Amino acid sequence: MNETKKLIQQITEGIQDKKGKKIVIADLTKIDDTICNYFVICQGNSPSQVTAIVESIRDFTRKGADTKPFAVDGLRNAVAMDYSDILVHVFLPETREFYNLEHLWADAKLTQIPDLD
């Protein structure tokens, strides 16, 4: 498994570990001039859950892929984590709806990851 796929798997597991919902992986590799190759988008139901998901992603990627984010930006209702080729967005539902990244990247290949519960 290549490094990027492994990292996406670790990110997904980190999200699922804290019961993050509606995970979508947007593959941008076939689109020119993008800032990254993949977006991983998910949501938590409260600001504290968003924070827990971000911390969990950090733990899973450090332990499972020996990688740390280059930057983490935002707080409580929307957080972006920069893993160079992969950008992770953790939103509250209403903030996610507002930014509507899936629609913005509609020409990307979108993969929905089923919720674990």
Side-chain angles (χ1 to χ4, degrees):
M1 184 182 329
N2 75 29
E3 303 243 335
T4 302
K5 297 269 189 258
K6 181 177 181 181
L7 188 53
I8 288 172
Q9 183 181 341
Q10 295 299 317
I11 290 165
T12 302
E13 288 177 19
I15 295 166
Q16 290 173 327
D17 191 61
K18 296 300 177 198
K19 310 227 179 319
K21 300 284 185 224
K22 297 191 176 173
I23 303 169
V24 173
I25 299 166
D27 180 342
L28 310 178
T29 55
K30 305 269 190 279
I31 302 171
D32 292 336
D33 298 326
T34 58
I35 54 172
C36 63
N37 289 330
Y38 294 91
F39 270 169
V40 179
I41 307 162
C42 72
Q43 65 192 46
N45 289 322
S46 66
S48 55
Q49 187 184 17
V50 167
T51 302
I53 291 168
V54 169
E55 291 305 317
S56 180
I57 292 169
R58 216 187 279 248
D59 289 345
F60 271 78
T61 57
R62 191 181 63 240
K63 291 180 188 138
D66 197 29
T67 305
K68 290 195 281 205
F70 293 98
V72 177
D73 195 27
L75 208 59
R76 300 179 66 74
N77 60 354
V79 178
M81 304 177 79
D82 181 356
Y83 285 94
S84 184
D85 276 352
I86 305 163
L87 279 181
V88 182
H89 295 275
V90 186
F91 290 118
L92 284 176
E94 57 274 17
T95 312
R96 181 178 185 166
E97 213 170 285
F98 176 80
Y99 285 105
N100 199 355
L101 293 180
E102 292 95 327
H103 182 73
L104 192 65
W105 296 105
D107 43 357
K109 179 176 174 268
L110 299 179
T111 305
Q112 315 265 345
I113 307 293
D115 291 347
L116 279 187
D117 54 18

